[in-house]
């Protein structure tokens, strides 16, 4: 490193270093910036034992993240369960299947709590009073909640057609919502213009390089929870395409630090058929992304012009992985399959991941004996509208034993057989 910094921004293309400031593009060549670290120094400071002795949240990886001195690590985001998924495994014919369950990430039940936790440390460090974002829903919830705790004002930009639970789950924290008549790509363009004009900290615009690093913690945790081993395959839902590239970066850093054995993990990307610019690129063997107009129930993944699409496609193709997409009915089926087999209620994005994983097993791209992790990134209670027509309304019965016995006769035949003799 040219300077004395533990980390700083570096251009992904021309490699120019930019110190630490709220910018996301190289002022020379306009390529995106990412955070580069002084690994010689960090390698001497951190060890697996040190990490293992710390609290079970994402701050346990503090040396590997772009955190300012004196950051406030009091919000215990991250370190979500890694669940062995034996029953789902039976269905898709896998003998070693795991779920990384960010449906229960603290505080707002999606993996976006991770990126916001990191971004807000820098927002405070740079002295922003107002934090903001363009969001497909989960980011809105995470920014609103964590800004409230940090004592920052929040102004959140969303497409007008977002799920009601995600709108309410933003407003409840006292955040100002701005609903935009347009899709996410319109919202995002507007936010870039606002960020040029107002001195606000947009977590996924001018703070984007720092924000994106928060996603690495998904990768660190998976490796640590597997006993400091890497899986053979990982299936990751893609919106802007950042998460998948950052899990790749996390695995590579752990290999370089000597924390895990070197292994070529295959990366599989999952998108909705109605918004699949990255999957389409991968399937045609290209990194170049052709923007789409989103039309899918998986609104949290509905980014038609993904900021990191190029790098996501490159990561997938370079790893020997693949990308697939799932239609709306397949997404709903994925959600119910996961709930019925593993007791995990995920949102539409998780339905995409499960449905895509299923296809990858059928296609033989993922094999039964390989250890595979599915990234479940959000909670089903936020997208109940997707299941609105799925279940029959259960008619009430009188509070009488006879009425119940009749109910049992006529409607609950499977359980009646199972319950016989128990009395
Ligand atoms: C944002 C989001 C993603 C994808 O994140 P990117 O880094 O933009 O690709 C996946 N799942 C859920 C639930 C999300 O909210
Ligand atoms: Zn550059």
């Amino acid at each position: 490193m040219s300077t004395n910094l533990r980390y700083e921004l570096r251009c992904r293309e021309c490699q120019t270093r930019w110190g630490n400031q709220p910018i996301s593009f190289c002022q020379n060549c306009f390529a995106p910036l990412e955070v580069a670290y002084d690994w010689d120094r960090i390698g001497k400071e951190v060890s697996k034992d040190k990490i293992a002795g710390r609290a079970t949240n994402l701050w346990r990886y503090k040396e590997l993240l772009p955190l300012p001195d004196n950051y406030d690590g009091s919000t215990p985001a991250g370190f979500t369960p890694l669940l062995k998924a034996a029953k789902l495994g039976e269905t898709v014919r896998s003998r070693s299947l795991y779920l990384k369950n960010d449906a229960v990430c603290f505080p707002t039940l999606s993996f976006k709590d991770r990126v916001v936790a990191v971004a807000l440390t820098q927002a405070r460090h740079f002295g922003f009073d107002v934090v903001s974002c363009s969001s497909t829903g989960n980011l809105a919830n995470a920014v609103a909640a964590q800004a409230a705790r940090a004592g920052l004002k929040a102004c959140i930009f969303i497409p007008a057609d977002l799920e009601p639970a995600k709108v309410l789950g933003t407003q409840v924290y006292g955040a100002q919502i701005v609903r935009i008549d347009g899709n996410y790509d319109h919202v995002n363009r507007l936010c870039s213009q606002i960020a040029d004009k107002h001195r606000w900290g947009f977590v996924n615009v001018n703070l984007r390089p720092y924000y994106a690093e928060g996603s690495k913690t998904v990768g660190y945790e998976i490796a640590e929870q597997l006993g400091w081993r890497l899986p053979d395959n990982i299936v990751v839902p893609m919106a802007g395409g950042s998460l998948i590239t950052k899990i790749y970066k996390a695995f590579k850093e752990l290999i370089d630090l000597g924390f895990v054995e070197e292994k070529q993990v295959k990366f599989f990307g999952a998108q909705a058929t109605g918004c699949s610019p990255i999957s389409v690129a991968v399937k045609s063997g290209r990194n170049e992304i052709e923007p789409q107009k989103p039309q899918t129930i998986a609104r949290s993944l509905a980014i038609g012009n993904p900021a990191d699409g190029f790098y996501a496609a490159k990561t997938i193709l370079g790893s020997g992985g693949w990308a697939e997409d799932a239609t709306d009915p397949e997404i709903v089926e994925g959600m119910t399959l996961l709930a019925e087999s593993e007791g995990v209620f995920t949102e539409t994005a998780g339905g995409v991941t499960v449905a895509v994983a299923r296809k990858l097993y059928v296609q033989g791209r993922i094999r039964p004996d390989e250890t595979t992790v599915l990234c479940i990134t959000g909670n089903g209670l936020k997208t109940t509208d997707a299941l609105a027509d799925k279940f029959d309304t259960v008619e009430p019965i009188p509070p009488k034993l006879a009425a119940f016995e009749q109910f049992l006769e006529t409607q609950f035949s499977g359980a009646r057989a199972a319950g016989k003799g128990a009395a």
Side-chain angles (χ1 to χ4, degrees), residues 110-112 136 138 237-243 300-301 303 347 349 377-378:
S110 88
F111 100 91
K112 292 295 199 305
T136 56
N138 285 316
M238 305 183 293
S242 174
L243 173 62
S300 58
L301 303 182
I303 298 184
E347 68 156 87
T377 47

Side-chain angles (χ1 to χ4, degrees), residues 271-292:
Q271 294 206 290
T273 306
C275 183
S276 50
I278 308 176
S279 298
V280 166
V282 168
K283 285 179 180 177
S284 59
R286 289 179 293 113
N287 303 334
E288 300 304 330
I289 302 295
E290 255 189 63
Q292 294 182 4

Side-chain angles (χ1 to χ4, degrees), residues 22 39 68 104 110 143 277 293 330 347 361 371 388 397:
W39 286 113
V104 293
S110 88
V143 170
K293 195 159 174 274
E330 288 169 342
E347 68 156 87
Y361 279 101
T371 295
I397 59 170

Side-chain angles (χ1 to χ4, degrees), residues 11 14 26 29:
C11 175
C14 76
C26 177
C29 75

Side-chain angles (χ1 to χ4, degrees), residues 11-16 18 26 28-31:
C11 175
R12 289 186 87 144
E13 297 303 329
C14 76
Q15 310 295 320
T16 304
W18 294 99
C26 177
N28 290 343
C29 75
F30 300 104

Side-chain angles (χ1 to χ4, degrees), residues 42-111:
I42 293 168
K44 292 193 191 89
E45 291 172 357
V46 67
S47 68
K48 287 190 273 189
D49 282 347
K50 262 194 195 167
I51 291 171
R54 293 175 181 160
T56 47
N57 57 58
L58 59 73
W59 309 112
R60 71 205 265 109
Y61 308 107
K62 60 185 179 181
E63 288 90 350
L64 315 180
L65 297 170
L67 304 173
D69 293 341
N70 307 320
Y71 70 93
D72 176 359
S74 68
T75 296
F79 221 82
T80 56
L82 183 75
L83 298 168
K84 183 113 211 258
K87 279 187 74 197
L88 180 64
E90 257 171 53
T91 307
V92 301
R93 300 221 162 72
S94 166
R95 283 184 283 277
S96 187
L97 185 64
Y98 292 85
L99 308 172
K100 179 58 175 164
N101 188 15
D102 270 13
V104 293
C105 198
F106 184 80
T108 64
L109 310 179
S110 88
F111 100 91

Side-chain angles (χ1 to χ4, degrees), residues 155-357:
C155 185
I156 312 283
F157 296 80
I158 54 168
D161 71 346
L162 223 54
E163 298 95 338
K166 284 187 179 161
V167 177
L168 187 130
T170 303
Q171 291 174 313
V172 71
Y173 302 108
Q176 179 63 55
I177 276 210
V178 185
R179 283 176 76 209
I180 305 295
D181 219 345
N183 62 35
Y184 175 82
D185 299 289
H186 299 120
V187 178
N188 195 241
R189 209 169 309 134
L190 173 67
C191 284
S192 296
Q193 294 170 335
I194 298 170
D196 283 340
K197 192 147 182 278
H198 295 270
R199 223 194 99 73
W200 287 5
F202 281 82
V203 299
N204 58 341
V205 183
N206 51 2
L207 297 170
R208 188 171 178 88
Y210 301 105
Y211 148 104
E213 291 291 289
S215 288
K216 290 192 308 183
T217 58
V218 176
Y220 298 148
E221 289 173 19
I222 290 170
E224 188 179 351
Q225 290 168 317
L226 286 173
W228 295 108
R229 283 186 310 121
L230 298 182
D232 297 305
N233 311 295
I234 184 160
V235 186
V236 187
M238 305 183 293
S242 174
L243 173 62
I244 194 165
T245 64
K246 292 297 172 172
I247 296 175
Y248 175 86
K249 193 174 184 227
F251 288 171
K252 183 166 184 315
E253 289 172 357
L254 295 181
I255 292 170
D256 291 346
L257 282 166
F259 286 11
V260 296
E261 254 178 58
E262 180 150 19
K263 180 183 221 176
Q264 171 132 17
V265 179
K266 286 186 185 163
F267 281 75
F268 294 90
Q271 294 206 290
T273 306
C275 183
S276 50
I278 308 176
S279 298
V280 166
V282 168
K283 285 179 180 177
S284 59
R286 289 179 293 113
N287 303 334
E288 300 304 330
I289 302 295
E290 255 189 63
Q292 294 182 4
K293 195 159 174 274
Q295 187 61 253
T296 169
I297 57 168
R299 295 210 179 92
S300 58
L301 303 182
I303 298 184
N305 190 9
D308 292 292
F310 172 87
Y311 295 105
K314 200 172 152 187
T315 298
I316 293 167
L317 290 167
S319 77
W322 193 244
E324 261 300 346
D325 50 78
T327 63
D328 286 355
E330 288 169 342
I331 293 168
V332 170
E333 211 181 294
M335 291 168 75
T336 52
L337 173 61
L338 186 66
E340 289 174 5
S341 59
E342 298 298 335
V344 171
F345 187 15
T346 185
E347 68 156 87
T348 45
V352 169
T353 305
V354 171
V356 160

